Amino acid sequence: MSEAPGATGAAAGVRSALAGNLGRLRLARGLSLRELSATTGVSKALLSQIERAEANPTVEVLVRVADALDTSTSELLRRPLPRPEIVRTSALPVPPGEIAVHLLFSSHEHGRTELYRTVLPPRSRSQASTHGAGSVEYVMVVSGRVTLMADEVPYPLGPGDAARFSGTTEHYYTTAEEGAVTHSMLGYPRT
């Protein structure tokens, strides 16, 4: 696909995210392009171009498509996380004698969330898992040390460290000589 004049890599990334999200949501609802066209009043040709990341739809088109798919425009435009985002507790300033509150991650894109506490004994490995399209996992190490393995790339995490990554990424956690306790939250897209 060639870029439109003046298009940036960021714009191409948004078009690509829109293409993937539109196709996924349309198919999840069992709709053909023709049926979505009839529901939205947007031509089948334009919808096809959007799904191929070849079109830049107007805000009005995005709103009509989102309404027809019973979702939000932000969900249509949501970009997947390319790799885990790590927050090191050592990078968070804590002035002596003061209360410190740090926003670790912010998101408005998920409907259902689940919160977990996990205890990992020394020299253990959790089961490899994924959580489905559009999901995001957040993890924070409460005590001990773990290594997050995401797509076979290691991300060592210590006490207070946090990570956010795509739940579609195959991942698991390992410990070495000491056990660990983590808190995890899974966010799932609105359906």
Side-chain angles (χ1 to χ4, degrees):
M1 171 178 81
S2 63
E3 291 286 13
T8 65
V14 172
R15 272 196 309 277
S16 178
L18 173 60
N21 292 332
L22 175 56
R24 174 181 55 82
L25 291 167
R26 180 179 61 78
L27 293 174
R29 285 154 180 76
L31 295 171
S32 68
L33 284 171
R34 178 174 288 137
E35 291 167 325
L36 185 57
S37 174
T39 303
T40 61
V42 176
S43 74
K44 179 181 165 190
L46 178 56
L47 290 171
S48 178
Q49 288 175 330
I50 295 169
E51 283 195 14
R52 293 191 315 270
E54 296 174 350
N56 291 315
T58 64
V59 171
E60 181 181 338
V61 167
L62 286 176
V63 168
R64 285 193 281 168
V65 169
D67 287 347
L69 294 174
D70 193 30
T71 191
S72 65
T73 54
S74 60
E75 177 66 17
L76 282 177
L77 297 172
R78 181 185 45 78
R79 295 174 76 175
L81 295 170
R83 61 187 176 279
E85 294 178 37
I86 307 298
V87 176
R88 301 282 179 205
T89 190
S90 60
L92 303 174
V94 180
E98 294 185 29
I99 295 173
V101 178
H102 301 103
L103 175 64
L104 300 178
F105 304 108
S106 177
S107 174
H108 302 283
E109 58 200 25
H110 292 95
R112 188 181 94 223
T113 57
E114 298 172 350
L115 181 63
Y116 296 92
R117 177 179 187 266
T118 303
V119 178
L120 298 149
R123 295 175 299 284
S124 65
R125 175 186 160 162
S126 68
Q127 181 177 344
S129 62
T130 61
H131 303 295
S135 63
V136 174
E137 182 166 338
Y138 302 79
V139 64
M140 182 173 186
V141 179
V142 176
S143 65
R145 297 188 173 281
V146 300
T147 298
L148 162 64
M149 294 295 294
D151 284 338
E152 296 304 319
V153 176
Y155 298 91
L157 302 170
D161 290 345
R164 171 173 70 171
F165 56 96
S166 170
T168 59
T169 301
E170 183 170 273
H171 63 281
Y172 58 92
Y173 300 93
T174 64
T175 58
E177 299 303 312
E178 66 177 315
V181 175
T182 65
H183 289 172
S184 301
M185 184 176 76
L186 297 174
Y188 296 93
R190 293 179 188 92
T191 56

